[in-house]
Amino acid sequence: MSLNICINGYKGRMGNAIAETATESGHKISGNVDIGDNLEEALAKSDLVIDFSLNNVTRSVFETAAKLGKPIVCGTTGHTQKDRVDLLKIAEPVPIVWAGNFSIGVNLLCYLTERAADILPLYYNAEIVEMHHRMKKDAPSGTALMLAESILGPRNLSYDDLRHGREGVPGERGEREVGMHSLRGGDVVGDHTAIFADIGERIELTHKASSRTIFSHGAIRAAEWIVGKPPGIYSIRDVLGLK
Ligand code: NAD
């Protein structure tokens, strides 16, 4: 199946990687959209939109796709939980895959983290560490939040239990806390570790990305999967068959 793909944010690092993977996979780029370009015009002649741009652009992308009835593959991160819920309402009339990370390895990491969080008692203290390149604008990364959800769910915790960094005299660590630490520097594509630490031992589950193609391959796979699906919110696990 050859798709006509509209890329929103095509001048960016991910936009470039997606254009390359799409072309290699036999698809056509029917819309190259970046700041100032007309998304509606480009999307009207496309089968779907793939958006990797900025979090404050997501609303207009979803509104345009919903208006035109076009599927969405979204990789943009940096939204609050509330924004995410509101945005997904806008996208209700169309099928959408919105993932903080499209790599197969990271989705396996989340799956394994979920298992570890379920098997290990709460006194195996969970902490998340992520590192990205110095140009990254949002923190923590969307992937770190996916990892957090993999820990919060099985442990019956909530977003209020996340502890974003520590400084001063925060006191002893509580059992319910899930630490979240964002490092930034250089050209790191994306490192993520989930740590479960008890007295005498600790388990670390780590994924390191060294190329953006892992995300663009996942996004193109999602694009091929979602065209023709009924409206709904799908996860990358649906696409990869990890459920
Ligand atoms: P980038 O800064 O290199 O690219 C963003 C692009 O969006 C730029 O070209 C910018 O001009 C464009 N843009 C800004 N405003 C726009 C507008 N109004 N309309 C259209 N385009 C607009 O960033 P990047 O590294 O390519 O990352 C983009 C997003 O994707 C970020 O949110 C990042 O966290 C996320 N990301 C997600 C995954 C994943 O697997 N889900 C992987 C990598 C990056």
Side-chain angles (χ1 to χ4, degrees):
M1 164 186 46
S2 174
L3 297 172
N4 290 315
I5 298 176
C6 173
I7 301 175
N8 194 58
Y10 92 99
K11 286 184 181 164
R13 284 172 288 263
M14 279 309 302
N16 271 298
I18 284 163
E20 208 175 304
T21 305
T23 313
E24 278 168 14
S25 311
H27 303 299
K28 286 195 201 79
I29 308 301
S30 44
N32 283 327
V33 182
D34 210 281
I35 299 177
D37 297 330
N38 188 328
L39 173 64
E40 188 165 340
E41 217 170 81
L43 186 52
K45 52 184 188 198
S46 307
D47 294 314
L48 82 160
V49 61
I50 301 184
D51 172 66
F52 282 72
S53 58
L54 265 185
N55 57 347
N56 59 15
V57 179
T58 313
R59 176 173 294 269
S60 63
V61 174
F62 285 14
E63 280 171 355
T64 308
K67 180 177 165 191
L68 298 175
K70 304 282 183 175
I72 304 167
V73 171
C74 182
T76 303
T77 63
H79 310 80
T80 63
Q81 270 310 102
K82 186 185 172 304
D83 283 351
R84 244 186 104 81
V85 172
D86 292 348
L87 289 163
L88 284 170
K89 278 214 179 76
I90 296 173
E92 259 169 16
V94 294
I96 175 169
V97 179
W98 188 5
N101 195 305
F102 276 90
S103 113
I104 294 173
V106 158
N107 285 283
L108 180 61
L109 172 74
C110 289
Y111 173 78
L112 295 173
T113 300
E114 200 172 294
R115 296 286 297 131
D118 188 28
I119 292 166
L120 297 168
L122 216 50
Y123 56 78
Y124 277 75
N125 305 142
E127 299 271 315
I128 296 166
V129 184
E130 57 108 336
M131 180 159 188
H132 282 84
H133 54 85
R134 61 178 170 229
M135 282 80 72
K136 185 162 177 65
K137 295 173 186 72
D138 56 309
S141 68
T143 307
L145 291 170
M146 282 166 66
L147 266 185
E149 282 168 11
S150 306
I151 294 169
L152 299 177
R155 292 189 160 193
N156 288 321
L157 301 172
S158 77
Y159 264 74
D160 293 339
D161 296 309
L162 293 182
R163 172 67 74 102
H164 296 274
R166 295 185 181 85
E167 65 171 1
V169 189
E172 283 188 19
R173 186 194 196 287
E175 258 186 9
R176 294 176 62 87
E177 276 180 31
V178 177
M180 179 72 94
H181 312 280
S182 298
L183 318 183
R184 293 288 176 266
D187 61 354
V188 178
V189 174
D191 295 354
H192 293 89
T193 299
I195 301 168
F196 294 90
D198 188 22
I199 309 294
E201 67 175 355
R202 80 174 177 274
I203 294 154
E204 298 189 358
L205 299 168
T206 296
H207 176 273
K208 294 189 182 192
S210 49
S211 162
R212 282 187 180 78
T213 55
I214 58 168
F215 311 126
S216 56
H217 280 124
I220 294 301
R221 202 158 148 182
E224 290 165 348
W225 183 90
I226 204 165
V227 169
K229 289 276 181 304
I233 301 163
Y234 301 97
S235 76
I236 188 69
R237 286 196 190 178
D238 293 318
V239 176
L240 299 177
L242 284 174
K243 271 188 177 168

